[in-house]
Amino acid sequence: MTAAPSGSKADFATADEGFTMISPPRPAPYGTWSSPVTEKAAASHPGRAEWLGCVGDEVWWTELRPGEGGRQALLCLRDGERHDVLPAPWNVRNSVHEYGGRPWTGHERTARGPLVVFTHHSDQRLYAYAPEEDAAPRALTPPAAGEGRRLRWCAPRVAPAGDEVWCVLEEHTGPRPGDVRRVLAAVPLDGSAAGDRGRIRELTGDGPRFLTSVVLSPDGERAAWLSWDHPDMPWDATRLHLARIGADGDLHGQRTLTLVPDGEEGTAPARESVAQVEWYSPGELIVTSDRSGWWNLYRVDAETGHATALHPAREEFAGAMWQVGMEWFRVLPDGRIAVLHGHGRLALGILDPATGALTDVAGPWTEWAPTLAVRGDRVVGVAAGPASGYEIVETSAGTRAARAIAGSRGDSLDPDYCPLPEPRTFEGADGRDIQACLYRPRNPRFTGPAGERTPFVVWVHGGPTARTPKALDPQIAYFASRGIGVVAVDHSGSTGYGRAYRERLRDQWGVGDVRDCADVVAALVAEGVADPARVAIRGGSAGGWTAAASLTSPQAGGRYACAAIHFPLLDAAATVTGGTHDFESRYVEGLIGRPDEVPERFAERSPIHHAERVTTPFALFHGAEDPVCPADQCDRFLARLKNPDLVHTHLLFAGEGHGFRREENIIAALKAELRLYLDTFSPSEG
């Protein structure tokens, strides 16, 4: 007797003996397989819980609701049940750095119940809400002061005195992307600043271009935070700041602390990225620094900067800080540390600083998201497996026993239709290693025609300083369950593989990423895995740049039959002339070079200057309100196409920014992308 997998009852045959048998898969052309992973199933899947926190004994978090116009809901787990803390249309999200940061904090107020402070996306104001008092949220900060003058807030934290929240304030002072200042600010909880900007106290003056919110010492007497400046990104170089908290509630004696690890007295790396800082005791900090070439954990004396490595390893204990408030570790009350770590993926472990011993939490999860919460000896995180979506997981730091306490809001996908990740290290033409993950077609009802090789899509992540998680992606499952394989390439510049791998893209964007993707395709073709005539490339944001550049660059060598290009950057020079937001306005200096020094490099690599080279079909998807990669670049790219008969699709979605959040738009993009592949991938003989 063979066990029947879920979701395939129509393909069962009942034998005379009464046993249930599974019918063998039927041969059918790749790309045409029917699948229960519909466009709606992939689009409505809520993704993962974000911004975890514990309020009293309850776990709280935010969650994307594609079916509610892309609203970010705030939820809590109470008596084992999920509850919305705030009803629609409240949208708990902010736009600091455009990508947003931690949008809420909770404060247990004993007899009166909890108080939550959050940012509402539509007006970017801070609000306070007491769920137990059954009253509407009340504004804490003033509205925008006019055209170009906007206030944005993120990473709120209740001040030691309990009468304020301390946040990152991003103040836009004019219409240009660079007209912005950022400071740490204190907002009174009594609502007196809702109509009076003067009631907001600025804790730091103008100085660093970017900073994180404060973390408070256990005794409430000190604060620590990070900062960085153009042209660096936070994964390039950051600074660690400390200050005393006076009786007046101000930050006194602000200073920069330099790390001095054992055996490195008098030396310092040219560039060091501290990705996270937390207090270990009133006089000691825990930080993640990449000074060794890997983001590792250090215990740091807050006075001298003397640092001791806690678990030296050639793996990452942090990642790229794309959003303020991301967390890769949390200190437990007994002094142990819950850490996320790994090589090309993140696992959850418990680290004993006294011995350096690190023990991972067991379970079916292959990826953990960079958000953690602690309540007593319990650690709460967000994790997913190859065939299961992200769920909230709680573990005991003592026993390491873990269990899921809340799953995703949407219906789970049938695991029989979810492709299994196969991490691979490919060798490039010059011998360099290229990290990737292979997802072969998977559908229990179908198989490819005999002798026919598999069509593949090269999946390029955004960033480009990022990577593709080793976990279920409903959109990958959407294509793989229809008979189209996916290979997710973590090209040079990706995170998760050390600083040297990350820096391989320095000055090489538009070359190294394009070459790595093409070399992976060549390797799969040489192995007999991929059909050379049916390979596509797709990506969003920086991945959209790579996909477009792969159609216009000789580096790709005509590897691709088509491309799906989502909200891409197409003109690198525009990023330094006001064509993108402040956070990434000088990002390209590390990826391509200074535009005043190598202007020819910008022109040579930007797809917008070589649209006439495009000879293969493509689909272009963009949000009309994208502040990161403005949609006008797509218009200019399309206007420069030379072949009027070139098959292409252009979908511009009103109301969408950088990335698509609304269910109907995600569905439309998936349908158009699948149609592109079906029209392009005609059967090919192996």
Side-chain angles (χ1 to χ4, degrees):
M1 177 177 177
T2 305
S6 60
S8 52
K9 294 179 181 178
D11 295 296
F12 295 170
T14 304
D16 293 338
E17 298 86 354
F19 294 117
T20 301
M21 304 294 292
I22 302 175
S23 62
R26 301 191 299 271
Y30 288 114
T32 66
W33 304 351
S34 59
S35 167
V37 187
T38 62
E39 294 90 359
K40 183 174 177 60
S44 62
H45 202 276
R48 69 188 189 201
E50 296 184 308
W51 307 118
L52 283 178
C54 289
V55 181
D57 291 331
E58 295 179 351
V59 179
W60 291 31
W61 71 95
T62 65
E63 181 178 276
L64 175 65
R65 297 276 178 83
E68 297 180 22
R71 170 175 95 92
Q72 199 82 9
L74 179 65
L75 299 91
C76 71
L77 192 66
R78 182 176 301 141
D79 299 325
E81 298 291 332
R82 301 158 48 99
H83 296 273
D84 278 21
V85 175
L86 290 158
W90 293 103
N91 190 350
V92 184
R93 178 178 162 225
N94 61 65
S95 297
V96 168
H97 298 175
E98 297 303 335
Y99 294 116
R102 186 173 183 88
W104 75 276
T105 189
H107 180 48
E108 186 66 27
R109 297 188 303 161
T110 62
R112 290 189 295 163
L115 176 74
V116 59
V117 176
F118 67 95
T119 51
H120 179 47
H121 186 257
S122 66
D123 59 14
Q124 293 293 303
R125 299 173 76 183
L126 271 176
Y127 288 81
Y129 177 56
E132 301 302 323
E133 296 178 6
D134 198 27
R138 52 187 176 83
L140 298 180
T141 56
E147 183 63 30
R149 299 195 65 87
R150 306 183 303 277
L151 303 178
R152 296 176 177 176
W153 312 85
C154 82
R157 187 182 298 269
V158 176
D163 59 347
E164 296 175 321
V165 283
W166 291 359
C167 327
V168 174
L169 164 59
E170 180 179 276
E171 183 171 16
H172 293 251
T173 59
R176 297 174 301 178
D179 296 335
V180 61
R181 59 189 294 268
R182 298 178 184 89
V183 296
L184 295 177
V187 178
L189 283 171
D190 63 9
S192 58
D196 183 0
R197 169 70 169 80
R199 296 283 296 175
I200 296 167
R201 295 191 306 117
E202 295 191 2
L203 300 171
T204 58
D206 291 337
R209 190 71 171 186
F210 306 96
L211 39 71
T212 65
S213 188
V214 297
V215 291
L216 304 174
S217 61
D219 59 8
E221 296 183 359
R222 291 188 180 189
W225 66 97
L226 304 174
S227 76
W228 66 97
D229 280 305
H230 283 321
D232 287 325
M233 299 299 285
W235 45 86
D236 294 324
T238 58
R239 295 178 296 265
L240 172 59
H241 302 279
L242 295 176
R244 291 180 295 102
I245 302 172
D248 57 0
D250 282 336
L251 299 180
H252 296 274
Q254 298 181 32
R255 62 192 176 96
T256 301
L257 185 67
T258 301
L259 270 59
V260 185
D262 296 318
E264 296 184 30
E265 292 80 1
T267 65
R271 298 160 70 77
E272 176 181 14
S273 168
V274 175
Q276 185 184 345
V277 56
E278 298 289 339
W279 288 91
Y280 188 70
S281 70
E284 292 181 302
L285 302 157
I286 303 293
V287 306
T288 48
S289 165
D290 71 344
R291 62 186 302 122
S292 70
W294 300 82
W295 273 304
N296 278 191
L297 284 166
Y298 294 83
R299 186 171 175 174
V300 181
D301 185 290
E303 291 299 327
T304 66
H306 178 264
T308 302
L310 297 181
H311 187 87
R314 291 177 60 82
E315 57 179 282
E316 305 280 42
F317 287 74
M321 185 177 32
W322 279 100
Q323 295 175 294
V324 176
M326 296 173 72
E327 296 172 318
W328 294 272
F329 70 89
R330 290 293 302 272
V331 177
L332 294 161
D334 65 3
R336 289 177 297 172
I337 307 172
V339 298
L340 299 175
H341 69 103
H343 185 276
R345 59 180 288 262
L346 288 176
L348 173 64
I350 305 297
L351 174 66
D352 185 344
T355 64
L358 174 61
T359 306
D360 283 349
V361 171
W365 307 286
T366 55
E367 190 74 68
W368 291 72
T371 181
L372 293 170
V374 169
R375 51 178 181 175
D377 74 337
R378 317 294 290 181
V379 180
V380 185
V382 178
S388 60
Y390 284 95
E391 53 194 356
I392 299 176
V393 178
E394 183 180 70
T395 184
S396 164
T399 66
R400 276 56 163 197
R403 65 187 181 96
I405 59 175
S408 61
R409 181 172 179 263
D411 295 333
S412 60
L413 303 182
D414 188 328
D416 290 339
Y417 294 84
C418 297
L420 303 177
E422 301 176 34
R424 296 281 306 274
T425 300
F426 292 94
E427 183 175 315
D430 59 358
R432 72 194 180 284
D433 62 304
I434 307 169
Q435 304 297 331
C437 193
L438 194 66
Y439 296 88
R440 302 175 193 266
R442 188 164 189 244
N443 188 313
R445 296 185 292 166
F446 299 100
T447 187
E452 186 175 324
R453 291 205 210 180
T454 308
F456 265 87
V457 177
V458 175
W459 203 273
V460 191
H461 61 70
T465 312
R467 64 177 177 84
T468 302
K470 306 297 190 295
L472 171 66
D473 184 323
Q475 295 195 26
I476 290 179
Y478 172 79
F479 294 109
S481 64
R482 284 166 171 74
I484 299 173
V486 170
V487 58
V489 179
D490 285 347
H491 54 69
S492 297
S494 299
T495 56
Y497 308 99
R499 181 154 193 150
Y501 193 90
R502 208 164 71 235
E503 299 232 325
R504 278 196 346 205
L505 203 61
R506 184 164 290 277
D507 297 334
Q508 293 297 307
W509 196 34
V511 177
D513 50 329
V514 171
R515 180 186 56 200
D516 284 357
C517 291
D519 283 356
V520 167
V521 172
L524 291 176
V525 169
E527 292 175 8
V529 174
D531 183 343
R534 295 190 291 172
V535 177
I537 186 167
R538 75 96 80 174
S541 190
W545 157 280
T546 302
S550 294
L551 299 188
T552 62
S553 170
Q555 296 267 355
R559 296 279 184 197
Y560 306 106
C562 61
I565 305 168
H566 296 253
F567 41 94
L569 175 70
L570 298 171
D571 184 1
T575 65
V576 294
T577 57
T580 192
H581 59 136
D582 183 58
F583 178 60
E584 292 182 281
S585 62
R586 297 184 66 181
Y587 187 13
V588 294
E589 289 188 25
L591 297 170
I592 297 177
R594 287 178 56 96
D596 57 336
E597 295 177 354
V598 288
E600 73 286 349
R601 197 181 290 172
F602 280 71
E604 174 188 338
R605 297 185 189 173
S606 293
I608 201 165
H609 295 300
H610 306 292
E612 74 281 355
R613 297 178 183 172
V614 179
T615 59
T616 56
F618 66 90
L620 189 56
F621 309 97
H622 220 117
E625 281 78 50
D626 189 341
V628 178
C629 300
D632 72 285
Q633 293 187 22
C634 293
D635 297 332
R636 290 190 285 133
F637 179 81
L638 294 171
R640 297 183 182 187
L641 294 175
K642 293 299 184 183
N643 181 359
D645 298 322
L646 181 65
V647 175
H648 66 276
T649 299
H650 179 211
L651 294 183
L652 183 67
F653 297 114
E656 294 281 18
H658 194 63
F660 309 141
R661 303 177 64 86
R662 299 180 181 180
E663 181 179 304
E664 64 273 19
N665 296 335
I666 300 172
I667 289 174
L670 281 172
K671 285 183 175 180
E673 187 172 346
L674 179 61
R675 176 48 53 193
L676 170 71
Y677 300 151
L678 294 181
D679 289 345
T680 307
F681 291 163
S682 57
S684 172
E685 300 203 0

